Amino acid sequence: MSLPQIVLIPGLLNDADLWRDQITGLADIARPRVADITRGSSLGALAEMVLATSEDRFALAGFSLGGIVAQEILRRAPERVTHLALLDTTMLPDTPERAAEREQLIDQASKPGRFHGFGRKLAQSYLAPENRDNADMINRVRAMTQRLGPDVFIRQTRIARPDSRASLTGIICPTLVLCGNHDQLTPPELHRSMASLIPSADLVVLEHSGHLTPLEEPENVTDHLKRLLQRDPVRK
């Protein structure tokens, strides 16, 4: 009997390297596949692309923007998802202030010149205090942003973030809601609210992480994904 598929969805300006450690760490219990969300211009388009390239039944893990895509997948095809993990993400729409910030970022990325997707300043808000001077982590994230470039950044940033609170209450598959204790972008309070809306959710807050949990605490993220996959799926 073949191992189950787990589809891993990266976040904004992330590629498969975000999940590098989980791909290796999960290989003994699942077949990881990293979804591509760099091409669609709407949340629905991204969800349909993931569904079209996944098996009939699969486990699903989404990080940040990938978690928003994962929630859309659950709205469209809940019967296909056996297990769900939502990492460092949100179920809320942008506030007017956040929407204005996104427009400013799009404007900056549209200007000629070298695209700096992840500098030291951004590292201060994305990483836990103990990781903010970690050159390996910073360079790993920067390499992803530079591989994908400004066009992908602009396309992903323009994707509307919906209010998903009502649909979360209908999720019945085993679910993991995980974030870093120092996550400034999608803080623990948000994830506690998210987990409270999902009947089958387990909440995990990692002490030594900011927003980038798969990179900052890779072994812990892998361990919690393994525990999720070991839970019995809901039979359809």
Side-chain angles (χ1 to χ4, degrees), residues 26-201:
L26 293 171
D28 60 334
I29 65 165
R31 290 178 292 113
R33 183 184 76 81
V34 179
D36 178 7
I37 60 166
T38 63
R39 293 175 291 165
S41 57
S42 71
L43 194 61
L46 296 180
E48 288 297 331
M49 281 190 243
V50 176
L51 286 166
T53 53
S54 300
E55 295 179 354
D56 289 343
R57 295 268 282 166
F58 57 93
L60 181 62
F63 167 79
S64 199
L65 175 60
I68 299 173
V69 176
Q71 292 170 67
E72 181 67 19
I73 289 170
L74 264 291
R75 283 190 286 273
R76 290 170 180 256
E79 73 284 354
R80 292 181 59 185
V81 180
T82 62
H83 302 78
L84 173 66
L86 300 172
L87 282 67
D88 303 278
T89 189
T90 184
M91 73 295 200
L92 299 178
D94 280 341
T95 63
E97 294 78 14
R98 181 57 180 152
E101 288 175 5
R102 289 194 194 281
E103 287 301 321
Q104 291 178 352
L105 292 170
I106 289 171
D107 182 64
Q108 292 172 12
S110 301
K111 293 177 180 177
R114 186 179 178 189
F115 178 65
H116 296 280
F118 192 77
R120 292 274 175 183
K121 184 176 180 181
L122 273 181
Q124 298 302 302
S125 58
Y126 273 77
L127 297 170
E130 63 200 80
N131 297 325
R132 289 172 187 167
D133 294 320
N134 187 315
D136 289 340
M137 283 186 190
I138 292 170
N139 290 336
R140 185 172 164 188
V141 178
R142 183 179 292 143
M144 287 191 287
T145 64
Q146 292 180 345
R147 279 194 297 271
L148 296 177
D151 290 344
V152 171
F153 174 78
I154 292 169
R155 188 159 52 247
Q156 291 182 330
T157 301
R158 282 183 171 151
I159 291 171
R161 277 70 169 165
D163 188 334
S164 299
R165 284 174 288 187
S167 63
L168 291 181
T169 61
I171 295 174
I172 61 173
C173 65
T175 301
L176 168 67
V177 176
L178 181 148
C179 73
N181 189 48
H182 303 280
D183 190 336
Q184 297 180 41
L185 279 73
T186 54
E189 293 78 14
L190 180 64
H191 290 80
R192 291 187 183 99
S193 296
M194 191 185 309
S196 72
L197 293 171
I198 304 173
S200 56

Side-chain angles (χ1 to χ4, degrees), residues 21-22 25-26 28-29 87 176 178 204 206 213 217-231:
D21 300 287
Q22 288 72 45
L26 293 171
D28 60 334
I29 65 165
L87 282 67
L176 168 67
L178 181 148
V204 173
L206 298 183
T213 52
E217 293 191 60
E219 292 182 359
N220 281 337
V221 169
T222 299
D223 286 346
H224 285 292
L225 288 174
K226 282 188 172 183
R227 291 174 194 173
L228 171 68
L229 293 173
Q230 289 164 353
R231 293 174 62 182

